[in-house]
Amino acid sequence: MMKIYKLNYLILSFFFIISCGYQPLYSNKEINFYINKINSFGDEKINKTLINKLELYKDKNSNKKIELEINSKINKTTTSKDTKGNPKTFRIEIISQIKVIEGEKINLDKIFTKSSNYNNSSKKFELKQYEENLKINLIDKIFEDIVSYLQTL
């Protein structure tokens, strides 16, 4: 009796998963552009991460060939201090300027900005790890915004 319930549950779960219509967000087959070349300026780490992610959109079969210029920078500021003057909270901001070049002229120029606030920690190694994770998350969000923006061209 228990085996029948488990089998029914397994079959029901299988059909539910198959019929949910899941599709990866950035695997849309109808990409209306492809990136021919990417030039970068500014923060190398941010640009390298963005370029690696944008490699998915190189050499696609599309009529619209574009070239990108990426200029990124990161700002880290102290947003508050304790009574002794030590940093209490920080703000990290990543700014990426994207220029879309078609042919010989710059068609579009847009700035993407993402930021996050976080608390200081007495454990400097953990603080550094947390900052790195924040940077990765902010770069991922900027990438998503860039792709959405390029899809609307």
Side-chain angles (χ1 to χ4, degrees), residues 66-89:
I66 63 172
E67 184 177 317
L68 294 180
E69 279 187 13
I70 301 172
N71 188 358
S72 298
K73 68 179 180 177
I74 188 165
N75 295 326
K76 180 182 170 185
T77 56
T78 303
T79 54
S80 68
K81 295 183 178 185
D82 62 12
T83 55
K84 295 179 184 177
N86 298 322
K88 187 176 177 181
T89 59

Side-chain angles (χ1 to χ4, degrees), residues 15-61:
F15 283 118
F16 178 73
I17 290 172
I18 288 177
S19 66
C20 75
Y22 170 78
Q23 279 187 329
L25 185 60
Y26 297 110
S27 70
N28 187 358
K29 300 288 183 202
E30 298 181 27
I31 296 171
N32 60 352
F33 68 92
Y34 75 94
I35 300 170
N36 184 43
K37 185 178 177 185
I38 302 173
N39 298 317
S40 64
F41 309 96
D43 189 285
E44 282 186 37
K45 187 173 182 180
I46 296 169
N47 290 338
K48 188 175 185 179
T49 305
L50 286 173
I51 289 169
N52 285 340
K53 291 177 174 292
L54 288 168
E55 288 289 324
L56 295 171
Y57 299 95
K58 280 191 156 189
D59 300 326
K60 297 287 182 180
N61 295 327

